[in-house]
Amino acid sequence: MSILPDIIFDYENAKGFFGPEELVQMEEKVKQKHKMLLDRSGSGSEFLGWIDIPERYDREEFEKIKSAAQKIRKDSDVLVVIGIGGSYLGARAAIEFLQGRYPGYPEVYFAGNNLSSTQILEIKQRLEGRDFSLNVISKSGTTTEPAIAFRFFKRMIQEKYGKAEASGRIYVTTDKNKGALKELAGKEGYTTFVVPDDIGGRYSVLTAVGLLPIAAAGADVDELMAGAALGRNKFMEAGFESNDALQYAAVRNILLEKGKNIEILAGYEPCLHYVAEWWKQLFGESEGKDGKGIFPAAVDLTSDLHSMGQYIQDGQRCIFETVLDLSNTGEEILVGEEEDDLDGLNYLAEKTVDFVNRSAMKGAIKAHVDGGVPNLKVTLAARNERTLGELFYFFESACGVSGYVLGVNPFDQPGVEFYKKNMFTLLGKPEIRQI
């Protein structure tokens, strides 16, 4: 019996929106950009370390990550991860995708991803009477949101355990050689991990940035990397006809040329919510520049069929939809039978909730396509680390190629500095520093 790959891309429900000759033309563009990416001849080539990391990662640091994760699991009920953007979204996506599979492991709370005092105090309350550790993630150590949160939780952990023991519970992921956080870690004796110079934050989930909290939560990071390696092999070696990442990059750019400039990522399982949040940053920050780019949005279905469903079905036809289909949830809950059948659902008796959910998905896809919304689908074979690792690599590699097709540098983010300059001026910061 043949074994299906962990990730399958399908654009059958988009073929009615463009002609085969358009795909042939885009295929040639995508092949050229694929070669440019692998040759490191395009813009942003100094940030392409993510391409090879599933095969060529630092084995010594990888073992150090697993050792630190084991210590966190042994002495902590909770790990507080402090970071923003690419410094936390990949880890959160992985942990929530795999949630519930590792009872007894530390809970993971995420802080420093906003400027809400309410959230900081809520986490503080949840830490009362519990043992905890900190993992602060920042290349510079001066980014406002995580720096404020780290000041707060560092003081809290030092008050609880004393400075010496607290230092053994603080894990820092930062620049290898320089920066405020690197300097502080050296002074205080914190365990440190490296944010690689050649990998941008939104591509960093398979580095210590993502791997330490993922491992601390109980996930098998060896399997995660194995899945990413499988994705890399497909991306590097497969021809266009069997290269899912290249096909995804091609089809989404054809649809953009057709005026479909908003992509909605739709998941039918709650565990996919933060996968979508990670995806939004990956594509939004990579493609949204120079007045170009496909706007990335996301919905949680079937919940959002009762809110956003009307717009998707009947609003402006500038959108296309990419469905994440988790084909095997591993759960079987039967719908019960009621004697009175007042809600009229006895026709579903003895069917699984998953069957109902998948029927809703198929029905929504057909309705949306009929309503003028092209649909792409990414099928995930299982809810496990290997599948997720391949999914991460699939989106990263497709994003790199797609950005080059658009004619932008998909590995920089110059626009994010503008709001910071305005904020620092309003706060009275004496000197504007690059962060």
Side-chain angles (χ1 to χ4, degrees):
M1 183 178 69
S2 62
I3 300 175
L4 290 174
D6 291 326
I7 299 295
I8 300 173
F9 174 67
D10 175 14
Y11 60 96
E12 187 66 31
N13 285 312
K15 288 181 178 178
F17 295 86
F18 58 86
E21 71 285 352
E22 294 174 279
L23 182 61
V24 171
Q25 293 171 4
M26 186 60 72
E27 177 183 341
E28 290 307 310
K29 290 182 185 179
V30 164
K31 286 178 177 177
Q32 292 171 9
K33 303 310 180 185
H34 181 227
K35 185 176 186 300
M36 182 187 296
L37 194 67
L38 300 187
D39 289 346
R40 271 73 167 176
S41 59
S43 55
S45 59
E46 66 272 28
F47 295 109
L48 297 181
W50 60 269
I51 292 177
D52 292 327
I53 200 165
E55 297 283 358
R56 301 177 187 174
Y57 58 90
D58 185 331
R59 263 63 178 180
E60 184 177 344
E61 178 164 75
F62 190 74
E63 292 303 317
K64 182 181 172 185
I65 288 168
K66 292 195 288 186
S67 177
Q70 185 176 19
K71 181 179 183 298
I72 292 168
R73 294 196 300 263
K74 181 179 179 181
D75 62 23
S76 299
D77 303 308
V78 176
L79 173 65
V80 180
V81 176
I82 300 171
I84 195 167
S87 294
Y88 94 102
L89 279 170
R92 189 159 193 176
I95 290 168
E96 298 214 5
F97 180 78
L98 300 166
Q99 65 186 341
R101 300 187 65 225
Y102 305 106
Y105 284 92
E107 294 181 45
V108 180
Y109 300 154
F110 293 92
N113 49 71
N114 55 50
L115 290 169
S116 168
S117 57
T118 301
Q119 187 200 55
I120 290 174
L121 292 174
E122 285 175 352
I123 294 174
K124 177 180 182 291
Q125 290 173 353
R126 282 184 273 170
L127 292 175
E128 293 295 339
R130 308 179 77 184
D131 287 314
F132 68 97
S133 297
L134 305 179
N135 176 205
V136 57
I137 307 164
S138 173
K139 192 163 178 64
S140 66
T142 60
T143 304
T144 306
E145 293 91 341
I148 288 174
F150 184 45
R151 284 191 175 201
F152 181 90
F153 288 107
K154 181 177 66 173
R155 186 181 307 115
M156 183 177 174
I157 201 170
Q158 288 175 344
E159 290 174 353
K160 181 177 179 70
Y161 297 105
K163 196 169 183 180
E165 185 179 345
S167 294
R169 290 175 172 269
I170 296 175
Y171 301 84
V172 169
T173 308
T174 190
D175 189 90
K176 183 177 183 180
N177 299 308
K178 63 184 186 297
L181 196 51
K182 176 66 176 177
E183 181 179 344
L184 178 64
K187 177 183 175 182
E188 300 294 338
Y190 303 149
T191 299
T192 60
F193 299 92
V194 175
V195 178
D197 290 333
D198 60 351
I199 300 178
R202 59 190 177 275
Y203 291 86
S204 67
V205 63
L206 299 175
T207 72
V209 171
L211 292 177
L212 179 59
I214 292 169
D220 187 338
V221 291
D222 289 287
E223 279 291 290
L224 187 73
M225 296 300 280
L230 178 60
R232 177 183 178 274
N233 290 342
K234 291 180 182 178
F235 178 68
M236 299 284 282
E237 299 172 9
F240 181 83
E241 66 283 351
S242 56
N243 194 317
D244 288 341
L246 297 188
Q247 291 180 13
Y248 177 49
V251 174
R252 64 196 306 274
N253 277 282
I254 292 173
L255 294 173
L256 175 62
E257 291 179 353
K258 297 289 187 181
K260 309 292 187 180
N261 61 0
I262 298 173
E263 180 176 8
I264 301 176
L265 193 72
Y268 282 77
E269 289 289 338
C271 67
L272 292 166
H273 176 83
Y274 270 94
V275 173
E277 294 298 304
W278 170 84
W279 171 88
K280 281 162 57 178
Q281 187 201 4
L282 177 67
F283 279 89
E285 202 168 66
S286 296
E287 294 188 334
K289 57 199 69 164
D290 302 334
K292 302 177 181 179
I294 299 170
F295 184 83
V299 289
D300 296 322
L301 304 179
T302 60
S303 300
D304 287 341
L305 288 176
H306 299 264
S307 57
M308 293 296 293
Q310 173 61 42
Y311 189 95
I312 296 171
Q313 184 66 43
D314 217 19
Q316 292 191 61
R317 300 299 79 185
C318 57
I319 61 178
F320 67 97
E321 192 173 28
T322 298
V323 173
L324 290 181
D325 175 15
L326 182 55
S327 63
N328 181 12
T329 64
E331 306 293 344
E332 289 191 2
I333 299 176
L334 294 177
V335 178
E337 185 172 5
E338 294 287 337
E339 183 177 345
D340 293 331
D341 194 26
L342 295 176
D343 54 15
L345 293 181
N346 271 356
Y347 74 99
L348 296 176
E350 302 308 308
K351 291 182 172 64
T352 67
V353 175
D354 189 59
F355 171 80
V356 178
N357 192 31
R358 295 189 63 76
S359 297
M361 179 187 71
K362 293 174 183 177
I365 290 173
K366 185 179 186 308
H368 293 169
V369 173
D370 291 345
V373 180
N375 256 251
L376 315 179
K377 186 160 71 168
V378 181
T379 300
L380 318 183
R383 187 180 175 186
N384 59 33
E385 292 90 340
R386 183 176 291 258
T387 298
L388 184 62
E390 187 178 341
L391 182 68
F392 280 144
Y393 199 91
F394 164 77
F395 278 134
E396 288 176 351
S397 53
C399 185
V401 173
S402 185
Y404 280 165
V405 171
L406 280 167
V408 302
N409 177 355
F411 308 109
D412 67 355
Q413 53 279 341
V416 301
E417 298 303 323
F418 290 100
Y419 89 88
K420 294 179 182 179
K421 292 178 182 179
N422 293 338
M423 179 180 71
F424 293 151
T425 299
L426 292 169
L427 291 172
K429 186 175 182 179
E431 178 184 357
I432 301 297
R433 296 168 55 192
Q434 290 291 331
I435 62 174

